[in-house]
Amino acid sequence: MDYRSNVTYITFGGHVEVHKYRYLYFMVMFTVYILIISSNVTIVCIIMIHKNLHEPMYIFIAALLINSVLFSTAIYPKLFIDFLSEKQIISYPACLLQWFSYYWLAISDIFLLSIMAYDRYVSICNPLKYTTVMRKTTVNLLLFFAWILPAVFFLVAIILNTKKEICHFNLKGILCNSTVQTLHCVRSRTLNIYGLVNLVTVLILPVLFILFTYSRILVVLYRCRGVRRRAAQTCLPHLLVLINFSCLTAYDVLLLRLELNSPKIVRLIMTLQAVIYHPLFNPIIYGLTITRIYDHLKRLFCRMV
Protein backbone atom coordinates (compact mmCIF):
# COMPACT_ATOMS: atom_id res chain seq x y z
CA MET A 1 0.00 0.00 0.00
CA ASP A 2 1.22 3.47 -0.86
CA TYR A 3 0.36 5.55 2.23
CA ARG A 4 1.57 8.78 0.67
CA SER A 5 -1.08 8.75 -1.98
CA ASN A 6 -3.50 6.65 0.11
CA VAL A 7 -3.97 4.29 -2.87
CA THR A 8 -3.82 0.52 -2.50
CA TYR A 9 -1.85 -1.31 -5.18
CA ILE A 10 -2.14 -4.99 -6.02
CA THR A 11 0.76 -6.99 -7.50
CA PHE A 12 0.19 -9.62 -10.20
CA GLY A 13 2.26 -12.70 -9.38
CA GLY A 14 1.11 -14.95 -12.21
CA HIS A 15 3.56 -13.88 -14.91
CA VAL A 16 6.12 -16.48 -15.96
CA GLU A 17 9.62 -15.05 -16.54
CA VAL A 18 8.13 -11.80 -17.79
CA HIS A 19 11.46 -9.96 -17.36
CA LYS A 20 13.15 -12.44 -19.70
CA TYR A 21 10.45 -12.69 -22.36
CA ARG A 22 8.68 -9.34 -22.01
CA TYR A 23 9.08 -8.31 -25.67
CA LEU A 24 8.06 -11.74 -26.96
CA TYR A 25 4.95 -11.67 -24.75
CA PHE A 26 4.15 -8.17 -25.92
CA MET A 27 4.54 -8.90 -29.65
CA VAL A 28 2.52 -12.14 -29.51
CA MET A 29 -0.33 -10.64 -27.49
CA PHE A 30 -0.33 -7.40 -29.50
CA THR A 31 -0.61 -9.43 -32.73
CA VAL A 32 -3.47 -11.44 -31.24
CA TYR A 33 -5.23 -8.24 -30.15
CA ILE A 34 -4.97 -6.71 -33.63
CA LEU A 35 -6.35 -9.91 -35.17
CA ILE A 36 -9.23 -9.93 -32.67
CA ILE A 37 -10.18 -6.31 -33.35
CA SER A 38 -9.83 -6.47 -37.13
CA SER A 39 -11.66 -9.80 -37.63
CA ASN A 40 -14.54 -9.00 -35.30
CA VAL A 41 -15.01 -5.42 -36.52
CA THR A 42 -14.89 -6.52 -40.17
CA ILE A 43 -17.77 -8.97 -39.75
CA VAL A 44 -19.78 -6.53 -37.63
CA CYS A 45 -19.42 -3.88 -40.35
CA ILE A 46 -20.49 -6.38 -43.02
CA ILE A 47 -23.62 -7.22 -41.02
CA MET A 48 -24.40 -3.53 -40.50
CA ILE A 49 -23.86 -2.54 -44.15
CA HIS A 50 -25.74 -5.29 -45.96
CA LYS A 51 -29.52 -5.25 -45.52
CA ASN A 52 -29.91 -8.95 -46.32
CA LEU A 53 -28.07 -9.60 -43.04
CA HIS A 54 -30.46 -7.50 -40.95
CA GLU A 55 -32.08 -10.58 -39.47
CA PRO A 56 -32.15 -11.74 -35.82
CA MET A 57 -29.54 -14.45 -36.27
CA TYR A 58 -26.99 -12.06 -37.78
CA ILE A 59 -27.82 -9.32 -35.29
CA PHE A 60 -27.08 -11.71 -32.43
CA ILE A 61 -23.82 -12.70 -34.10
CA ALA A 62 -22.87 -9.03 -34.38
CA ALA A 63 -23.68 -8.52 -30.69
CA LEU A 64 -21.48 -11.48 -29.75
CA LEU A 65 -18.60 -10.11 -31.83
CA ILE A 66 -18.99 -6.63 -30.32
CA ASN A 67 -18.78 -8.32 -26.93
CA SER A 68 -15.49 -9.91 -27.99
CA VAL A 69 -14.06 -6.50 -28.90
CA LEU A 70 -15.18 -4.95 -25.59
CA PHE A 71 -13.88 -7.92 -23.59
CA SER A 72 -10.47 -7.80 -25.27
CA THR A 73 -10.21 -4.03 -24.86
CA ALA A 74 -10.91 -4.39 -21.13
CA ILE A 75 -8.06 -6.92 -20.74
CA TYR A 76 -5.30 -6.50 -23.33
CA PRO A 77 -4.11 -2.87 -22.82
CA LYS A 78 -3.34 -3.61 -19.16
CA LEU A 79 -1.45 -6.77 -20.17
CA PHE A 80 0.64 -4.71 -22.61
CA ILE A 81 1.56 -2.27 -19.85
CA ASP A 82 2.48 -5.11 -17.48
CA PHE A 83 4.68 -6.86 -20.05
CA LEU A 84 6.75 -3.69 -20.55
CA SER A 85 6.83 -2.62 -16.88
CA GLU A 86 9.32 -3.53 -14.19
CA LYS A 87 6.47 -4.08 -11.73
CA GLN A 88 3.13 -5.68 -12.63
CA ILE A 89 0.78 -3.73 -10.38
CA ILE A 90 -2.71 -2.27 -10.46
CA SER A 91 -4.65 -0.02 -8.08
CA TYR A 92 -7.38 -1.78 -6.12
CA PRO A 93 -10.23 0.32 -7.62
CA ALA A 94 -8.88 -0.38 -11.14
CA CYS A 95 -8.63 -4.06 -10.22
CA LEU A 96 -12.30 -4.13 -9.21
CA LEU A 97 -13.22 -2.36 -12.46
CA GLN A 98 -11.30 -4.96 -14.50
CA TRP A 99 -12.91 -7.74 -12.45
CA PHE A 100 -16.35 -6.28 -13.17
CA SER A 101 -15.67 -5.85 -16.92
CA TYR A 102 -14.23 -9.36 -17.21
CA TYR A 103 -17.24 -11.14 -15.71
CA TRP A 104 -19.89 -8.77 -17.04
CA LEU A 105 -18.82 -9.37 -20.64
CA ALA A 106 -18.06 -13.07 -20.13
CA ILE A 107 -21.50 -13.76 -18.69
CA SER A 108 -23.06 -11.56 -21.35
CA ASP A 109 -21.50 -14.00 -23.83
CA ILE A 110 -23.33 -16.86 -22.14
CA PHE A 111 -26.62 -14.96 -22.33
CA LEU A 112 -26.05 -14.15 -26.02
CA LEU A 113 -25.26 -17.82 -26.72
CA SER A 114 -28.54 -18.72 -25.01
CA ILE A 115 -30.43 -16.20 -27.15
CA MET A 116 -28.80 -17.58 -30.30
CA ALA A 117 -29.80 -21.10 -29.29
CA TYR A 118 -33.38 -19.95 -28.73
CA ASP A 119 -33.39 -18.17 -32.10
CA ARG A 120 -32.25 -21.35 -33.87
CA TYR A 121 -34.77 -23.41 -31.87
CA VAL A 122 -37.69 -21.24 -32.99
CA SER A 123 -36.40 -21.09 -36.57
CA ILE A 124 -36.01 -24.86 -36.96
CA CYS A 125 -38.65 -26.30 -34.61
CA ASN A 126 -41.37 -23.65 -35.10
CA PRO A 127 -40.62 -22.00 -38.46
CA LEU A 128 -44.19 -20.77 -39.00
CA LYS A 129 -44.07 -18.79 -35.74
CA TYR A 130 -40.57 -17.40 -36.26
CA THR A 131 -41.51 -14.00 -37.68
CA THR A 132 -44.14 -13.56 -34.98
CA VAL A 133 -41.86 -14.54 -32.10
CA MET A 134 -38.60 -12.91 -33.21
CA ARG A 135 -39.91 -9.42 -33.90
CA LYS A 136 -37.68 -6.36 -33.82
CA THR A 137 -38.98 -5.39 -30.36
CA THR A 138 -38.25 -8.89 -29.04
CA VAL A 139 -34.73 -8.83 -30.48
CA ASN A 140 -33.99 -5.44 -28.90
CA LEU A 141 -35.31 -6.58 -25.52
CA LEU A 142 -33.25 -9.77 -25.61
CA LEU A 143 -30.09 -7.81 -26.43
CA PHE A 144 -30.87 -5.28 -23.69
CA PHE A 145 -31.25 -7.97 -21.04
CA ALA A 146 -28.19 -9.86 -22.30
CA TRP A 147 -26.04 -6.84 -21.39
CA ILE A 148 -27.96 -5.36 -18.45
CA LEU A 149 -28.68 -8.45 -16.31
CA PRO A 150 -25.01 -9.55 -16.03
CA ALA A 151 -24.05 -5.95 -15.21
CA VAL A 152 -26.60 -5.86 -12.38
CA PHE A 153 -25.47 -9.22 -10.98
CA PHE A 154 -21.83 -8.20 -10.81
CA LEU A 155 -22.48 -4.61 -9.76
CA VAL A 156 -23.93 -6.05 -6.56
CA ALA A 157 -20.78 -8.15 -6.16
CA ILE A 158 -18.61 -5.04 -6.66
CA ILE A 159 -20.51 -3.21 -3.91
CA LEU A 160 -20.03 -6.17 -1.56
CA ASN A 161 -16.30 -6.27 -2.37
CA THR A 162 -15.73 -2.57 -1.74
CA LYS A 163 -17.07 -3.00 1.80
CA LYS A 164 -14.45 -5.64 2.64
CA GLU A 165 -11.07 -4.73 4.14
CA ILE A 166 -8.04 -6.14 2.33
CA CYS A 167 -4.87 -7.39 4.03
CA HIS A 168 -3.17 -9.16 1.12
CA PHE A 169 -1.70 -7.38 -1.88
CA ASN A 170 -0.63 -10.14 -4.26
CA LEU A 171 -2.74 -12.01 -6.83
CA LYS A 172 -1.55 -15.31 -8.27
CA GLY A 173 -2.84 -14.49 -11.74
CA ILE A 174 -2.16 -11.91 -14.46
CA LEU A 175 -5.51 -10.15 -14.21
CA CYS A 176 -8.25 -9.49 -11.68
CA ASN A 177 -10.67 -12.41 -11.65
CA SER A 178 -12.40 -14.47 -8.95
CA THR A 179 -9.18 -14.61 -6.90
CA VAL A 180 -9.76 -10.97 -5.92
CA GLN A 181 -11.55 -12.34 -2.86
CA THR A 182 -8.27 -13.85 -1.61
CA LEU A 183 -7.14 -10.28 -0.89
CA HIS A 184 -9.71 -9.87 1.89
CA CYS A 185 -8.62 -10.04 5.51
CA VAL A 186 -11.57 -12.32 6.28
CA ARG A 187 -13.34 -14.51 3.76
CA SER A 188 -16.90 -13.33 3.27
CA ARG A 189 -19.57 -16.00 3.58
CA THR A 190 -22.04 -13.63 1.94
CA LEU A 191 -19.79 -13.20 -1.10
CA ASN A 192 -19.26 -16.95 -1.39
CA ILE A 193 -22.99 -17.67 -1.26
CA TYR A 194 -23.74 -14.86 -3.70
CA GLY A 195 -21.03 -16.18 -6.01
CA LEU A 196 -22.49 -19.68 -5.98
CA VAL A 197 -25.97 -18.28 -6.68
CA ASN A 198 -24.50 -16.36 -9.61
CA LEU A 199 -22.74 -19.50 -10.84
CA VAL A 200 -26.06 -21.34 -10.99
CA THR A 201 -28.05 -18.39 -12.36
CA VAL A 202 -25.72 -17.04 -15.03
CA LEU A 203 -23.79 -20.16 -16.05
CA ILE A 204 -25.39 -23.50 -15.20
CA LEU A 205 -29.00 -22.61 -16.04
CA PRO A 206 -28.15 -20.95 -19.41
CA VAL A 207 -25.95 -23.93 -20.33
CA LEU A 208 -28.76 -26.36 -19.51
CA PHE A 209 -31.17 -24.24 -21.57
CA ILE A 210 -28.78 -24.27 -24.56
CA LEU A 211 -28.31 -28.04 -24.31
CA PHE A 212 -32.09 -28.51 -24.15
CA THR A 213 -32.79 -26.34 -27.20
CA TYR A 214 -30.09 -27.99 -29.27
CA SER A 215 -31.23 -31.47 -28.29
CA ARG A 216 -34.67 -30.52 -29.59
CA ILE A 217 -33.10 -29.15 -32.78
CA LEU A 218 -31.18 -32.40 -33.31
CA VAL A 219 -34.40 -34.40 -32.91
CA VAL A 220 -36.07 -32.33 -35.63
CA LEU A 221 -33.05 -32.50 -37.94
CA TYR A 222 -32.81 -36.26 -37.48
CA ARG A 223 -36.12 -36.63 -39.30
CA CYS A 224 -34.85 -34.71 -42.33
CA ARG A 225 -32.56 -35.65 -45.18
CA GLY A 226 -28.93 -34.78 -44.87
CA VAL A 227 -29.37 -34.74 -41.12
CA ARG A 228 -25.76 -35.27 -40.07
CA ARG A 229 -24.29 -32.58 -42.27
CA ARG A 230 -26.94 -30.02 -41.43
CA ALA A 231 -26.84 -30.86 -37.72
CA ALA A 232 -23.08 -30.39 -37.69
CA GLN A 233 -23.32 -27.06 -39.51
CA THR A 234 -26.11 -25.83 -37.23
CA CYS A 235 -25.14 -27.16 -33.81
CA LEU A 236 -21.58 -28.46 -33.59
CA PRO A 237 -19.64 -25.16 -33.75
CA HIS A 238 -22.00 -23.57 -31.24
CA LEU A 239 -21.74 -26.52 -28.85
CA LEU A 240 -17.93 -26.66 -29.11
CA VAL A 241 -17.68 -23.00 -28.18
CA LEU A 242 -20.17 -23.50 -25.37
CA ILE A 243 -18.37 -26.52 -23.89
CA ASN A 244 -14.93 -24.89 -24.04
CA PHE A 245 -16.24 -21.59 -22.67
CA SER A 246 -18.14 -23.32 -19.87
CA CYS A 247 -15.09 -25.35 -18.80
CA LEU A 248 -12.85 -22.28 -18.71
CA THR A 249 -15.45 -20.23 -16.85
CA ALA A 250 -16.14 -23.01 -14.34
CA TYR A 251 -12.40 -23.40 -13.71
CA ASP A 252 -12.07 -19.66 -13.18
CA VAL A 253 -15.03 -19.42 -10.80
CA LEU A 254 -14.23 -22.59 -8.84
CA LEU A 255 -10.55 -21.69 -8.60
CA LEU A 256 -11.25 -19.59 -5.53
CA ARG A 257 -13.77 -21.87 -3.85
CA LEU A 258 -11.76 -25.08 -4.26
CA GLU A 259 -8.53 -23.23 -3.44
CA LEU A 260 -6.71 -25.05 -6.22
CA ASN A 261 -2.94 -24.72 -5.84
CA SER A 262 -2.14 -25.33 -9.50
CA PRO A 263 1.32 -24.47 -10.91
CA LYS A 264 1.87 -20.93 -12.14
CA ILE A 265 2.32 -22.04 -15.76
CA VAL A 266 -1.04 -23.90 -15.67
CA ARG A 267 -2.81 -20.80 -14.35
CA LEU A 268 -1.17 -18.70 -17.06
CA ILE A 269 -2.19 -21.08 -19.85
CA MET A 270 -5.79 -21.31 -18.62
CA THR A 271 -6.05 -17.52 -18.33
CA LEU A 272 -4.58 -16.97 -21.80
CA GLN A 273 -7.05 -19.47 -23.26
CA ALA A 274 -9.92 -17.53 -21.71
CA VAL A 275 -8.74 -14.19 -23.13
CA ILE A 276 -7.56 -15.46 -26.53
CA TYR A 277 -9.68 -18.38 -27.68
CA HIS A 278 -13.19 -16.95 -27.80
CA PRO A 279 -12.50 -13.41 -29.02
CA LEU A 280 -10.20 -14.72 -31.76
CA PHE A 281 -12.21 -17.70 -32.98
CA ASN A 282 -15.73 -16.29 -32.62
CA PRO A 283 -15.53 -14.49 -36.00
CA ILE A 284 -14.33 -17.74 -37.60
CA ILE A 285 -16.99 -19.97 -36.07
CA TYR A 286 -19.93 -17.58 -36.34
CA GLY A 287 -18.79 -15.66 -39.38
CA LEU A 288 -16.86 -17.73 -41.89
CA THR A 289 -19.01 -20.84 -41.44
CA ILE A 290 -22.19 -18.95 -42.35
CA THR A 291 -22.70 -18.79 -46.12
CA ARG A 292 -24.08 -15.26 -46.44
CA ILE A 293 -21.33 -13.66 -44.38
CA TYR A 294 -18.68 -15.78 -46.09
CA ASP A 295 -19.90 -14.63 -49.53
CA HIS A 296 -19.65 -10.98 -48.49
CA LEU A 297 -16.17 -11.58 -47.09
CA LYS A 298 -15.04 -13.16 -50.35
CA ARG A 299 -16.30 -10.17 -52.32
CA LEU A 300 -14.57 -7.80 -49.91
CA PHE A 301 -11.21 -9.54 -50.18
CA CYS A 302 -11.52 -9.87 -53.96
CA ARG A 303 -11.93 -6.08 -54.19
CA MET A 304 -8.92 -5.54 -51.95
CA VAL A 305 -6.78 -7.86 -54.04
Side-chain angles (χ1 to χ4, degrees), residues 5 23 48 53 55 60 65 77 94 101 180 188 190 248-249 253 267 282:
S5 60
Y23 297 112
M48 291 176 61
L53 300 180
E55 298 177 5
F60 296 141
L65 300 184
S101 302
V180 166
S188 172
T190 302
L248 293 172
T249 305
V253 174
R267 289 173 177 264
N282 273 348

Side-chain angles (χ1 to χ4, degrees), residues 17 54 60 72-73 107 119 126-127 163 180 203 208-209 219 222 246 254 259 273 282 286 295:
E17 297 192 48
H54 293 181
F60 296 141
S72 301
T73 304
I107 298 305
D119 174 73
N126 295 288
K163 294 180 178 180
V180 166
L203 180 62
L208 291 176
F209 173 76
V219 169
Y222 187 76
S246 299
L254 295 175
E259 296 185 349
Q273 282 193 64
N282 273 348
Y286 294 108
D295 290 341

Side-chain angles (χ1 to χ4, degrees), residues 102-103 106-107 110 113 178 199 203-204 207 211 238-255 258 260 266 269-271 273-275 277-278:
Y102 180 89
Y103 286 108
I107 298 305
I110 288 288
L113 290 172
S178 62
L199 178 65
L203 180 62
I204 295 177
V207 168
L211 293 177
H238 187 83
L239 291 176
L240 287 176
V241 171
L242 173 68
I243 292 169
N244 186 78
F245 186 81
S246 299
C247 290
L248 293 172
T249 305
Y251 173 86
D252 184 82
V253 174
L254 295 175
L255 182 65
L258 298 180
L260 298 176
V266 174
I269 291 172
M270 293 296 291
T271 303
Q273 282 193 64
V275 301
Y277 179 81
H278 290 280

Side-chain angles (χ1 to χ4, degrees), residues 81-178:
I81 294 172
D82 287 341
F83 292 148
L84 300 179
S85 301
E86 291 298 322
K87 294 182 178 180
Q88 291 73 47
I89 61 174
I90 187 172
S91 68
Y92 186 57
C95 185
L96 289 180
L97 179 61
Q98 186 184 66
W99 178 88
F100 171 77
S101 302
Y102 180 89
Y103 286 108
W104 165 42
L105 294 168
I107 298 305
S108 181
D109 266 2
I110 288 288
F111 279 35
L112 287 170
L113 290 172
S114 301
I115 293 170
M116 292 168 69
Y118 176 69
D119 174 73
R120 292 299 83 206
Y121 169 77
V122 177
S123 175
I124 295 173
C125 299
N126 295 288
L128 298 179
K129 297 181 179 179
Y130 183 76
T131 55
T132 303
V133 174
M134 301 303 295
R135 294 176 296 178
K136 184 177 180 180
T137 304
T138 305
V139 171
N140 291 335
L141 282 174
L142 290 172
L143 291 175
F144 176 79
F145 285 117
W147 275 307
I148 294 301
L149 286 181
V152 172
F153 283 130
F154 288 98
L155 187 59
V156 173
I158 284 286
I159 294 172
L160 292 175
N161 269 283
T162 55
K163 294 180 178 180
K164 299 294 295 182
E165 182 182 0
I166 65 172
C167 295
H168 310 284
F169 307 96
N170 186 281
L171 284 175
K172 294 182 179 180
I174 61 174
L175 51 84
C176 296
N177 54 12
S178 62

